[in-house]
Amino acid sequence: MAKTKWTELEKPLCNAILETIKSMEFEKMTPVQAATIPLLMSYKDVAVEAVTGSGKTLAFLVPLLEILLRRQSTSQWEKKEIGAIVVSPTRELATQTSQVLKLFLNHPELSHFSQKLLVGGCSVEEDMHYLKNSPAHVVICTPGRLEDLLERKGGLNLAARVKSLEILVLDEADRLLDLGFMATINTILSYLPRQRRTGLFSATQTKEVTNLMRAGLRNPVVVSVKEKASINTPVLLQNYYVSVEPEDKLRYLVAFIRQKKIQKSMLFLPTCACVEYWSQVLPALLKNTNILALHGKMQKQRGKIHESFREAKKAILLCTDVLARGVDIPEVDWVLQWDPPANPAAFVHRVGRTARQGNAGNSLILLLPAEFAYIDFLKRNQKVTLKPLTITPTTDLPSINKILHGLQMRDRALFDTANRAFVSHIRAYSKHECSLILRLEDLPLGRMATGYGLLKLPKMPEIKDTHTEEFSGPEGEIDFMGIAYKNPQKESTRQEKLSLYAESGVWPGKKVKRKKQTESWELSKQKKLERKEKRKQRKLKMQKKNADGEKKKKRKRISDEDLAELASDIALLKRIKKKKITEEEFEEEIGFNSD
């Protein structure tokens, strides 16, 4: 591309913006920046398709600030006017965008602009109080929180403050739609003025994204920036896989982390329950290692955990796909994956958390023998080549499972969490988009449960007799009712329920299914005939009632003679009112004096 430097734009940027970009050490524009910035600065709507890590954040923040500055040169911004809105799918990505914008607004020439971050996990009342009393020229938000505030009353009237909006940005639009925000976005668009600029940025152009383009953009310019390479991941990223048996995943993973002496890594797990379980178990196996956990069901802790991992020099973050896209975390040297992600594109997004900004990176995925077809599928579908890696575990399975069993025996809460994690993992695997090659029927669920360190197999329809035979639990008999909660309050509640259960034989709160009593064929037939006769009688009764109603209506029908007599009486009333006849004449005509 001919124009690669920031100073070579046809419409020059503000000195404050150029100086801020220079401080970030971004001398040249990326292809997506060079293609998108001139279009947005020319007041055109754009729909941009570009892979993660391609520099999309600056591609919309730079023209956003330029548009606000140009508007200011013609008319000053009022205190409570909102000039720009950036909608992100997750609070982590919204926070990251806010931090990048903050670098620009710290410059003296741009300091008169203010921004507000509106995301879940924060108090709605605090957001409302801020917006009522403070300016927010740029709002960076998640869709749910923005919709909530737009529809709230109570003196806020945010809808009136966006009437002069200059630019709307939908970041990671395909992810917004994957998370089910289509209706929310349509609601937001209904509050915004039509005379605005809109930028839609996504990694893929799906049918849903195309529909959103038609609804929210006016004659958009489509920008598609793709790497002209034989691979779909960064050049400095090495992708590996290791073949493991179902019961050995954990000990191979622990051995790998110990042997590689990993400084900073992300471990992607299939469900929130898996993150909860392994985050409580791994500290006992990887001592002196900072282990953090983050998933989508967390509320207030997410921001703190995300920031702690960003600032940490050495740590392992256990997470779900909530952190798979857009989030820029420095110095991540390894991305680890417990199993193949739900869709093949998510693999590329996950491993994209490392090897960023010219740094080298590595990724590792643990594959079962039944999942080897995924290697060739990934190469064909996503142009990603996986290399084999050899790991030699130093700890045997019984030793690791003894630790896991002991942890669960000491706290019933962990025992419950372990079962929830395993069940949620199996259910998530059954909904895999690559179900033709990753089949739940091919998995030895009993051996997988052994790898989870479960004390017993949970009751679920997927568990068959063969799986029960494959399962290897703790030695000796276990009194499962005797496993207590560490939390005194929870244990006290459980003991009360146990007492009630001992008396009644029914666990408190459990719905009891009534057993259907068996009866003879003759009695069953007789009851059926009685019900049929009752229905017949009800039907006849309703028909008779309707017929009687029709007769009453006919009886109440007014004849022509009645109408003529009524008209005559009304005429007499008018005549006596106008004093054209006397009262005696009126009474005689109407018939009051007749014997």
Side-chain angles (χ1 to χ4, degrees):
M1 191 171 290
K3 296 176 181 177
T4 56
K5 292 186 178 180
W6 294 94
T7 53
E8 293 178 349
L9 286 167
E10 287 182 6
K11 295 184 178 181
L13 297 171
C14 164
N15 289 331
I17 295 176
L18 287 173
E19 289 174 13
T20 306
I21 294 171
K22 187 177 180 181
S23 68
M24 296 178 182
E25 299 181 354
F26 295 148
E27 294 183 3
K28 296 182 179 181
M29 289 184 288
T30 63
V32 68
Q33 291 163 358
T36 306
I37 291 174
L39 293 171
L40 280 174
M41 287 173 60
S42 301
Y43 298 96
K44 289 183 173 63
D45 286 5
V46 296
V48 181
E49 179 187 3
V51 297
T52 182
S54 57
K56 286 182 288 188
T57 304
L58 287 185
F60 61 75
L61 282 183
V62 168
L64 179 151
L65 289 168
E66 276 288 335
I67 289 172
L68 296 187
L69 283 168
R70 290 178 186 176
R71 156 71 186 275
Q72 187 184 30
S73 64
T74 57
S75 61
Q76 289 293 324
W77 286 96
E78 293 183 9
K79 181 181 178 182
K80 292 188 177 181
E81 278 187 307
I82 294 175
I85 295 176
V86 180
V87 181
S88 298
T90 65
R91 65 187 70 171
E92 287 77 20
L93 183 53
T95 303
Q96 178 179 292
T97 304
S98 176
Q99 290 171 348
V100 176
L101 179 60
K102 186 179 179 181
L103 297 175
F104 287 95
L105 300 187
N106 285 339
H107 196 282
E109 291 184 34
L110 300 171
S111 60
H112 57 282
F113 287 127
S114 61
Q115 66 159 318
K116 177 58 181 171
L117 179 66
L118 302 173
V119 295
C122 303
S123 170
V124 180
E125 288 72 21
E126 288 180 7
D127 288 343
M128 290 179 66
H129 182 267
Y130 179 93
L131 291 170
K132 283 180 182 178
N133 301 286
S134 305
H137 300 103
V138 183
V139 168
I140 299 174
C141 58
T142 48
R145 178 55 58 92
L146 180 59
E147 180 190 34
D148 185 9
L149 292 171
L150 282 170
E151 295 188 328
R152 279 180 182 261
K153 306 301 180 184
L156 176 60
N157 197 11
L158 188 63
R161 296 177 58 178
V162 299
K163 294 301 181 184
S164 57
L165 187 81
E166 289 286 340
I167 181 169
L168 168 70
V169 175
L170 299 173
D171 193 14
E172 299 287 355
D174 50 344
R175 182 63 175 158
L176 282 168
L177 300 177
D178 287 343
L179 294 173
F181 284 123
M182 185 66 188
T184 302
I185 293 171
N186 286 335
T187 302
I188 292 170
L189 292 175
S190 68
Y191 283 95
L192 304 182
R194 292 184 177 275
Q195 297 296 329
R196 65 169 192 274
R197 295 285 63 78
T198 305
L200 184 148
F201 293 78
S202 65
T204 55
Q205 288 289 354
T206 62
K207 181 181 178 182
E208 291 76 13
V209 173
T210 304
N211 292 337
L212 180 58
M213 286 167 54
R214 292 171 182 166
L217 282 71
R218 298 170 58 193
N219 300 321
V221 179
V222 179
V223 177
S224 182
V225 180
K226 297 181 179 179
E227 297 289 340
K228 292 182 179 180
S230 58
I231 58 174
N232 218 3
T233 54
V235 178
L236 296 177
L237 173 63
Q238 298 294 321
N239 298 297
Y240 300 98
Y241 76 92
V242 61
S243 174
V244 295
E245 295 299 325
E247 64 269 28
D248 289 331
K249 266 194 179 183
L250 179 60
R251 70 190 192 104
Y252 269 71
L253 179 67
V254 170
F256 173 77
I257 294 171
R258 287 173 178 168
Q259 292 168 15
K260 291 290 182 179
K261 297 180 180 179
I262 295 174
Q263 296 298 306
K264 198 169 181 179
S265 66
M266 299 174 71
L267 172 59
F268 283 95
L269 294 161
T271 67
C272 300
C274 291
V275 173
E276 290 285 347
Y277 175 57
W278 293 119
S279 65
Q280 296 178 57
V281 163
L282 283 176
L285 302 172
L286 296 170
K287 295 179 179 179
N288 302 320
T289 302
N290 183 16
I291 295 175
L292 304 171
L294 192 153
H295 58 73
K297 291 183 179 179
M298 290 180 172
Q299 294 300 323
K300 294 183 179 180
Q301 314 99 311
R302 278 172 62 175
K304 293 180 180 178
I305 294 168
H306 180 225
E307 193 59 32
S308 297
F309 184 65
R310 282 181 58 86
E311 295 176 356
K313 295 296 181 183
K314 185 176 181 181
I316 299 175
L317 177 66
L318 278 59
C319 60
T320 57
D321 280 337
V322 72
L323 288 184
R325 295 179 62 164
V327 181
D328 187 14
I329 300 173
E331 300 174 353
V332 174
D333 50 355
W334 279 90
V335 169
L336 311 173
Q337 302 185 67
W338 184 263
D339 63 353
N343 61 75
F347 182 98
V348 176
H349 292 302
R350 285 179 174 184
V351 299
R353 299 314 99 212
T354 186
R356 298 175 72 86
Q357 299 180 11
N359 298 317
N362 305 276
S363 77
L364 174 70
I365 185 169
L366 305 170
L367 294 177
L368 305 180
E371 297 171 335
F372 275 10
Y374 187 74
I375 300 169
D376 184 59
F377 170 78
L378 202 62
K379 186 174 182 179
R380 294 172 181 271
N381 187 274
Q382 294 294 317
K383 298 179 181 179
V384 176
T385 303
L386 298 179
K387 302 175 184 177
L389 188 69
T390 303
I391 301 173
T392 306
T394 55
T395 310
D396 58 6
L397 181 62
S399 300
I400 286 183
N401 275 357
K402 186 177 181 181
I403 296 172
L404 302 185
H405 296 157
L407 291 171
Q408 294 179 60
M409 293 286 287
R410 288 192 289 273
D411 187 3
R412 191 176 191 85
L414 185 60
F415 168 69
D416 295 339
T417 303
N419 283 278
R420 279 198 304 271
F422 177 75
V423 171
S424 68
H425 183 186
I426 301 306
R427 298 281 160 79
Y429 201 98
S430 66
K431 298 173 184 177
H432 215 292
E433 287 187 14
C434 307
S435 56
L436 290 175
I437 58 173
L438 301 173
R439 292 159 32 93
L440 182 64
E441 295 80 4
D442 297 336
L443 297 183
L445 302 184
R447 294 168 65 188
M448 287 178 66
T450 302
Y452 266 75
L454 299 187
L455 297 179
K456 66 173 183 177
L457 280 174
K459 292 181 180 179
M460 52 190 304
E462 291 85 356
I463 300 292
K464 310 299 181 185
D465 291 339
T466 53
H467 302 141
T468 306
E469 295 171 2
E470 294 171 349
F471 175 67
S472 177
E475 296 180 358
E477 294 292 328
I478 296 177
D479 179 16
F480 291 103
M481 285 295 187
I483 302 174
Y485 288 106
K486 273 188 177 181
N487 186 313
Q489 187 175 357
K490 290 185 72 174
E491 180 57 23
S492 175
T493 304
R494 191 179 77 91
Q495 290 299 332
E496 290 176 6
K497 289 183 177 180
L498 282 172
S499 300
L500 294 172
Y501 176 71
E503 294 174 4
S504 63
V506 179
W507 190 260
K510 185 177 181 180
K511 292 183 179 179
V512 181
K513 292 183 178 179
R514 293 183 179 179
K515 291 184 178 180
K516 189 176 181 181
Q517 295 181 351
T518 57
E519 54 188 19
S520 64
W521 181 83
E522 290 84 358
L523 183 60
S524 177
K525 185 177 180 181
Q526 183 182 347
K527 288 183 177 180
K528 186 177 180 180
L529 291 171
E530 288 174 356
R531 288 194 297 269
K532 188 176 180 180
E533 183 63 25
K534 284 182 179 179
R535 286 196 298 269
K536 184 179 178 181
Q537 293 297 329
R538 281 199 300 269
K539 188 176 180 180
L540 290 171
K541 190 176 180 181
M542 289 298 296
Q543 288 175 350
K544 186 179 179 182
K545 188 176 179 181
N546 292 335
D548 291 342
E550 288 294 326
K551 286 179 182 178
K552 287 179 181 178
K553 286 180 183 178
K554 288 179 182 178
R555 281 199 297 269
K556 289 180 181 178
R557 190 173 295 166
I558 300 172
S559 65
D560 293 339
E561 293 178 0
D562 293 334
L563 288 172
E565 187 177 349
L566 180 61
S568 176
D569 292 344
I570 293 171
L572 286 170
L573 284 170
K574 289 180 179 179
R575 291 179 70 187
I576 192 172
K577 189 175 181 182
K578 294 179 180 179
K579 297 182 179 180
K580 290 184 178 181
I581 59 174
T582 63
E583 290 186 5
E584 290 80 6
E585 290 175 333
F586 173 75
E587 290 177 357
E588 186 178 352
E589 288 289 337
I590 206 167
F592 286 167
N593 294 332
S594 61
D595 294 332

